[in-house]
Amino acid sequence: MAKLGLKPEIDVQLLRLGGSAIQWTALQSRQIAASALTPPVSFNADAQGYTRLADTYDLPYQNIGVVIRKTEVEKRAETWLRLLRGVQRGISVWYDDPQLSKSVLAKYTRDKNAGTLEKTYGFFTKHWLPSRPHLYRSRLRTILRFFGSTVLPAAKDASPTQFYDTRIIDKLKK
């Protein structure tokens, strides 16, 4: 919204509807006027003639994460390390076996269009899926600024370091 010069909750009423598929249905039925859509839904909107007002691909955003309670970090450190190793293996498969990745995308998005699946795979590979589990402070800062401009004003001045602990992910790197 900032890219369009709009202020959340002032210039635009935000509705919390759910994921892209739900938002897409609401947009198509004219229940909402605009939506932030992610691939493959955004590609389908493009194909049906909807107008993109902006994209946010250049904005740093921590979109994938494993979240656990602080009190559980040390208590179950080995479990979390095994979980992150599994995530790392999944990421490796994503990059090493694009055909398998696209078949999984097709299954869970219910989109069988080969062109859309190829574009979706390319999008997530380029923009959203790091080659290894990693936490990016700048991406967390973007989320905090968004929360600070909408539902949680105190978040805009918060430091990202208040919200994470990298002990387990640091062990993964060894």
Side-chain angles (χ1 to χ4, degrees):
M1 286 180 274
K3 283 184 147 192
L4 298 171
L6 301 172
K7 292 184 175 92
E9 304 294 358
I10 295 170
D11 299 320
V12 178
Q13 179 184 5
L14 297 178
L15 301 173
R16 284 112 183 122
L17 299 176
S20 254
I22 292 169
Q23 292 175 41
W24 174 231
T25 301
L27 188 62
Q28 288 177 300
S29 65
R30 300 184 186 270
Q31 293 174 318
I32 59 175
S35 179
L37 302 174
T38 58
V41 176
S42 62
F43 297 137
N44 292 330
D46 292 340
Q48 290 186 31
Y50 283 78
T51 301
R52 276 188 197 222
L53 299 177
D55 70 49
T56 57
Y57 305 155
D58 61 320
L59 297 177
Y61 187 80
Q62 183 77 33
N63 60 326
I64 299 172
V66 176
V67 180
I68 59 174
R69 295 178 194 267
K70 252 185 189 178
T71 57
E72 298 293 317
V73 173
E74 276 308 314
K75 195 183 327 182
R76 299 181 183 183
E78 284 307 310
T79 300
W80 307 133
L81 185 56
R82 286 194 313 269
L83 172 71
L84 287 179
R85 283 185 182 133
V87 168
Q88 177 63 59
R89 282 187 63 209
I91 291 170
S92 294
V93 169
W94 174 270
Y95 282 95
D96 295 342
D97 193 344
Q99 284 312 115
L100 175 63
S101 301
K102 287 181 257 186
S103 71
V104 171
L105 278 173
K107 177 180 178 181
Y108 289 100
T109 63
R110 297 187 179 117
D111 192 325
K112 307 295 185 217
N113 181 290
T116 303
L117 291 170
E118 185 66 40
K119 285 180 12 182
T120 302
Y121 176 79
F123 173 85
F124 283 111
T125 301
K126 181 178 178 184
H127 295 290
W128 275 17
L129 190 62
S131 59
R132 61 183 171 78
H134 185 73
L135 186 129
Y136 301 89
R137 283 188 196 124
S138 64
R139 294 178 179 192
L140 286 176
R141 192 170 293 113
T142 300
I143 294 168
L144 291 171
R145 275 193 225 119
F146 173 75
F147 282 142
S149 70
T150 58
V151 296
L152 192 60
K156 74 176 178 194
D157 297 320
S159 168
T161 58
Q162 294 174 247
F163 301 99
Y164 66 84
D165 180 333
T166 62
R167 286 179 284 176
I168 307 302
I169 206 163
D170 292 342
K171 288 180 184 180
L172 181 65
K173 295 174 186 175
K174 294 179 182 176

